[in-house]
Amino acid sequence: AGKCQAGKPKLYNTSYTGTIFYSAAPLPDGGLVDSGSAGNSDWIVKRLDASGTVIWEKSGSAVGSDPGRRAAVMSDGTIWQAGRVTGGGRLRTLDLATGTIGPEVTLGAAAMVDVAALPSGGGVVVGSNGQGPWAVRLVGKLATVWENLIPTTDKTGDALRNVAALPDGSMVVAGKLGKPLLAKLDAAGKTLWLVTYDGTGATEFYDVAVLPDGGFVAVGQTLVRLDAAGKLLWQKTVAATFLYGVAARSDGSFAVVGTDNDTKSVLAMF
């Protein structure tokens, strides 16, 4: 999840045939780092300037579905891209300035789908390790610091889909644990709280954002607003089959995007 600003006109519109981008990480200079998969077996990362001009583009082959998912820019100037390949979750690194490919690591037995930079350096990656919803903290050249596996009876279906970091080094994760799941982990990977939610047809959360007051909003097949302690403030169902993304604004409002029965796009402001 990211930040959005009101009153900003569209600056450019670019499409790429055969490519699915899962994330666009904003840069201080107004540019973006786009991350995703090209075709069925290639990962791709692009760096664009503020006008949408490609500064560099890197891609590579990897056997497996969705080899490239979301990416984040770390405090040391590297890009971490999460993905899924045959044999487990794959995390690769690239240099922000040049796109030079750095260390890679394969962990778990299923998938890495999202990554977030942490204030103290390094980052946290979430997905599934083949045993259930899973988060792993890595630093430097992708050395593992800790792992957190959430117990489940559905080891193949339950997983984490998104992670958002907080200024104190803690993080909130979203996904599926039979029902839509939200949990907060401290900087050492300990689970501080974990909650699941009911809702008509709701099975999981796809995205979560941190709000200026320290609370959270999560979206999927339902929409929930929590305070900083994880207490549910309200829950809504909007006119969409799936809500895939949420972006917080500095005034405490937020935007959600999704699809209505996969026939039309939905954008709502709260």
Side-chain angles (χ1 to χ4, degrees):
K3 301 288 185 180
C4 63
Q5 294 177 291
K8 295 292 184 179
K10 181 174 70 177
L11 299 179
Y12 59 84
N13 184 359
T14 305
S15 62
Y16 303 94
T17 301
T19 299
I20 299 175
F21 287 116
Y22 291 101
S23 68
L27 298 173
D29 63 3
L32 295 171
V33 173
D34 293 344
S35 171
S37 296
N40 293 323
S41 60
D42 293 335
W43 58 268
I44 186 169
V45 178
K46 290 176 180 279
R47 180 179 177 183
L48 290 73
D49 66 15
S51 68
T53 300
V54 177
I55 297 175
W56 53 255
E57 175 183 329
K58 296 292 181 179
S59 61
S61 297
V63 178
S65 59
D66 288 337
R69 295 286 290 196
R70 297 186 178 192
V73 181
M74 302 294 114
S75 60
D76 63 357
T78 60
I79 299 165
W80 288 16
Q81 185 197 42
R84 178 172 60 187
V85 299
T86 299
R90 174 66 60 85
L91 182 67
R92 58 185 57 87
T93 65
L94 301 94
D95 181 79
L96 176 62
T98 65
T100 300
I101 300 171
E104 300 186 12
V105 64
T106 300
L107 292 172
M112 295 178 176
V113 296
D114 194 25
V115 56
L118 295 177
S120 60
V124 61
V125 185
V126 299
S128 169
N129 71 347
Q131 298 297 311
W134 173 67
V136 55
R137 166 91 159 94
L138 303 104
V139 296
K141 296 183 178 180
L142 306 185
T144 297
V145 177
W146 54 255
E147 298 182 53
N148 183 313
L149 175 65
I150 297 173
T152 177
T153 58
D154 185 359
K155 296 181 180 181
T156 59
D158 289 342
L160 298 179
R161 305 296 188 195
N162 190 257
V163 56
L166 282 76
D168 64 358
S170 63
M171 63 218 70
V172 61
V173 296
K176 178 184 178 183
L177 189 64
K179 302 175 181 179
L181 158 74
L182 284 175
K184 186 176 182 182
L185 313 182
D186 67 14
K190 179 183 177 181
T191 301
L192 299 177
W193 50 257
L194 184 154
V195 289
T196 59
Y197 298 90
D198 292 312
T200 302
T203 60
E204 61 187 301
F205 286 126
Y206 294 108
D207 200 8
V208 60
V210 181
L211 298 174
D213 65 0
F216 313 100
V217 60
V219 297
Q221 291 134 313
T222 188
L223 170 67
V224 298
R225 169 76 161 93
L226 290 77
D227 67 13
K231 179 182 178 182
L232 179 67
L233 300 179
W234 52 257
Q235 181 174 358
K236 294 181 181 295
T237 300
V238 299
T241 303
F242 297 100
L243 295 175
Y244 290 114
V246 56
R249 300 170 63 180
S250 58
D251 63 0
S253 62
F254 53 90
V256 299
V257 294
T259 63
D260 183 4
N261 296 315
D262 290 327
T263 61
K264 60 183 178 181
S265 299
V266 173
L267 170 63
M269 300 292 297
F270 292 87

